Amino acid sequence: MHADLSVVVPVLDEADELPRLLDELASQSLPLQIVIADGGSRDRSREIVERSERALWVQAPRGRGAQMNAGAAAAIAENLLFLHVDSHLMHRCQLEQALQSLEAARRRHGGCIAGHFALAFRRQQAGGDSAYRYMEAKSRSGRPGTINGDQGLLLSADFFRELGGFDTRLPFFEDQKMAAEIFRRGRWLLLPGVLGTSARRFETEGLAPRYALMALMTWMHQIGLEDFLQQAVGVYREQSTTHALDLRPFVRLARRQLLQALSRQPGLVERIGRSLRANAWQPWLALDLLTGRPVDSGTLRWFTDHAEPRLHGAGGRRLSRALARLLLLGLRLPLERVLPAGRSVQSR
């Protein structure tokens, strides 16, 4: 079998989504190998894959990182595309055009390059237009902390092996860690077109609490407190078991870990300050979207050209450290002033 591209999709009890995605992949204009890496589905997922003439079913340990590594090991093409099962391709030439764009970028910049798509959310419920528009705009920005698995990951098999595959220490967050590693060792390319993605998790768990929890997870990772991800039970449930999300236990756990780290990790203030500087662009993006200004010529452009360079100077570092100290001082206040009483998170 010849394939220009191997598409690896991790699944767990996704019999409802698989037929649609398999049809979309089968209709693409370039030769594909489709690898479905199953983490132990109890529904008809395996039966659906094995009925397909163009899909390979691979049994893998549960956890997206482990599943995608197993799928990559079975891939035969020189290029890999990792997709989530709720991704939607917009037209039959999308993957061919994406691969052509990646190959052109490799000719210009070398082999250490990976591509991702901008997102377009597919929703079943009304409301939240501004929030979804903000998340879609972030997916186009290409900034650290904004690239995740929903956007797809296109790269050469050689570069994937050089990166060491996905981190498997957690059943989630492997995409953020891979994205950060690509920033360190190569570069990112925004691929042509957009990739549809389901808003089902936001709609089931609640848009505001799910987005806030994603931001909290990313921030705790950025400042080096990854124990939060290990201890926060239910931070990322299987899709089939999701329900309305209670944010309070996760905020309490994060507060407790921050206060403990303050006395044990002298570099915490500097790490928080660095994170504040790295994310200072986001309010300017939100302002452009709210006021209808073009992102490439609005207040975000002003911030990027004029304010952001100063943030990384000595004055900006002093300001961010002062803000970090104020944040940590605020954490010492009783949490009940901010959040109603609720149950605490249990560790694993």
Side-chain angles (χ1 to χ4, degrees):
M1 173 185 177
H2 167 73
D4 291 340
L5 181 66
S6 290
V7 181
V8 179
V9 183
V11 300
L12 183 64
D13 295 329
E14 293 286 3
D16 291 339
E17 290 284 345
L18 264 171
R20 175 202 52 78
L21 181 62
L22 290 174
D23 287 344
E24 290 181 8
L25 289 171
S27 69
Q28 288 294 297
S29 59
L30 78 169
L32 293 179
Q33 179 200 26
I34 304 169
V35 182
I36 305 299
D38 194 298
S41 293
R42 295 149 294 191
D43 63 2
R44 297 176 52 249
S45 292
R46 180 173 183 175
E47 177 187 343
I48 292 168
V49 173
E50 291 182 337
R51 274 207 320 263
S52 169
E53 296 180 355
R54 299 188 59 179
L56 172 66
W57 180 87
V58 173
Q59 179 67 59
R62 183 172 299 187
R64 279 200 316 237
Q67 289 171 235
M68 289 189 288
N69 286 343
I76 62 172
E78 295 180 358
N79 294 287
L80 305 174
L81 173 64
F82 297 93
L83 281 182
H84 287 183
V85 71
D86 59 355
S87 299
H88 293 253
L89 299 171
M90 297 304 189
H91 57 86
R92 66 180 304 271
C93 296
Q94 183 165 358
L95 298 188
E96 182 177 7
Q97 292 173 0
L99 188 55
Q100 289 171 350
S101 179
L102 182 73
E103 290 172 343
R106 281 203 294 249
R107 288 193 293 271
R108 292 193 303 270
H109 304 293
C112 296
I113 190 164
H116 71 102
F117 292 99
L119 289 179
F121 282 94
R122 300 173 70 95
R123 296 182 273 162
Q124 301 297 319
Q125 301 174 9
D129 292 357
S130 295
Y132 285 113
R133 191 163 61 249
Y134 176 70
M135 288 189 286
E136 289 171 352
K138 281 181 66 176
S139 75
R140 294 190 294 270
S141 72
R143 285 178 175 259
T146 66
I147 299 175
N148 55 54
D150 288 337
Q151 300 168 36
L153 168 60
L154 177 64
L155 76 174
S156 72
D158 287 342
F159 188 28
F160 178 75
R161 287 189 288 268
E162 183 181 326
L163 291 165
F166 288 100
D167 190 312
T168 61
R169 286 172 290 182
L170 290 170
F172 56 90
F173 219 70
E174 77 297 327
D175 50 355
Q176 294 275 354
K177 293 184 177 184
M178 175 63 81
E181 190 64 18
I182 290 170
F183 272 114
R184 281 190 290 269
R185 300 173 62 171
R187 65 172 64 208
W188 278 102
L189 170 71
L190 180 62
L191 298 168
V194 296
L195 187 66
T197 187
S198 172
R200 56 185 179 166
R201 188 174 291 274
F202 290 106
E203 292 176 338
T204 303
E205 296 183 350
L207 175 57
R210 167 44 60 183
Y211 184 79
L213 182 54
M214 287 167 50
L216 181 61
M217 291 163 60
T218 301
W219 187 65
M220 294 293 279
H221 171 65
Q222 286 177 345
I223 64 175
L225 299 184
E226 292 198 18
D227 283 352
F228 173 80
L229 302 175
Q230 296 277 2
Q231 296 180 28
V233 177
V235 71
Y236 206 92
R237 297 180 181 275
E238 297 172 16
Q239 181 60 44
S240 60
T241 65
T242 55
H243 52 71
L245 183 63
D246 182 4
L247 193 59
R248 295 170 299 181
F250 303 108
V251 175
R252 289 189 171 86
L253 174 63
R255 175 178 181 264
R256 184 166 67 246
Q257 291 194 351
L258 280 162
L259 292 176
Q260 291 172 350
L262 182 60
S263 60
R264 300 172 184 172
Q265 300 183 23
L268 180 63
V269 168
E270 180 61 38
R271 295 200 302 273
I272 292 176
R274 189 182 308 124
S275 175
L276 292 174
R277 296 194 301 274
N279 291 288
W281 62 275
Q282 296 199 44
W284 301 95
L285 172 63
L287 180 60
D288 281 342
L289 295 173
L290 287 172
T291 58
R293 292 188 179 97
V295 172
D296 58 356
S297 61
T299 58
L300 178 59
R301 180 61 181 269
W302 172 86
F303 170 81
T304 302
D305 291 345
H306 301 287
E308 193 167 27
R310 296 187 179 186
L311 273 182
H312 296 289
R317 291 195 295 272
R318 286 194 297 271
L319 175 61
S320 63
R321 285 195 293 267
L323 291 174
R325 292 188 183 97
L326 283 174
L327 173 64
L328 291 169
L329 181 63
L331 289 175
R332 295 182 180 278
L333 296 173
L335 194 60
E336 285 69 23
R337 294 187 184 182
V338 182
L339 295 173
R343 61 183 177 83
S344 61
V345 162
Q346 296 181 347
S347 299
R348 289 186 185 275

